[in-house]
Amino acid sequence: TTPTEFSGSTLRQAVALIMIMAAGSAVGYIVWEKLHTNFAVERANFTGLDMGSLHSIREIPGFLAFTAVFFVAVFKEQRLAVFFLALIGLGTALTGFFPTYLGIAVTMSIMSVGFHYYETYAQSLQLQWFPKDRAPVLLGWVVTVYSFATIIAISGSWLMFQLFDFDYWLVFLIGGGICMAAAVVGW
């Protein structure tokens, strides 16, 4: 069967959902990505070997992302996208509370599973929902929203450290919380 092409208010709702998820994923992932190395070195005393092994673990969910097709047989794709978006936020939010190798590895794994599966479903939904004649513009908007949210996340993190002297746990919690809030709104 051919997928239904969205138009009118249905298209606006689909675009709004994609944009909210893009912004939320950017904040959750970028806060984690930009801060986890300094956090690991400063709070958990990581060495280069520790970081290398941690990043090896992080790529396992990426390798296993092909299993996303099996979940679609049971659950709606948009619900899966929102669920895995929440996992990105959860992994990010918890990171600052566990300044040990095991703690960072577990929270990073939660975030990584969320990230790899979310990206798979989000890109699939974009290609399904956006009409062919408007897809290039709408996909450009998604990248713009993601980029703008990235700038805000990085700037906000810097401000939280410089102006308010926040600790890592609080910055991770705020970034992850924003990501999870986007998942709740998307739900």
Side-chain angles (χ1 to χ4, degrees), residues 5 119 123:
E5 190 169 280
E119 284 295 324
Q123 290 175 21

Side-chain angles (χ1 to χ4, degrees), residues 4 14-15 34 38 45 64 75 78 101 131 169 181:
T4 305
V15 169
K34 300 304 176 197
N38 288 347
N45 301 314
L64 297 175
F75 302 103
Q78 66 195 55
Y101 183 86
W169 70 267

Side-chain angles (χ1 to χ4, degrees), residues 70-124:
F70 300 115
F71 292 121
V72 176
V74 180
F75 302 103
K76 289 184 176 183
E77 209 166 352
Q78 66 195 55
R79 292 192 185 271
L80 289 166
V82 171
F83 172 76
F84 286 110
L85 176 63
L87 277 187
I88 296 171
L90 180 64
T92 299
L94 293 176
T95 299
F97 294 105
F98 299 99
T100 64
Y101 183 86
L102 180 60
I104 294 171
V106 168
T107 58
M108 181 221 41
S109 295
I110 294 169
M111 186 284 309
S112 185
V113 166
F115 174 79
H116 286 97
Y117 283 84
Y118 163 76
E119 284 295 324
T120 301
Y121 295 123
Q123 290 175 21
S124 175

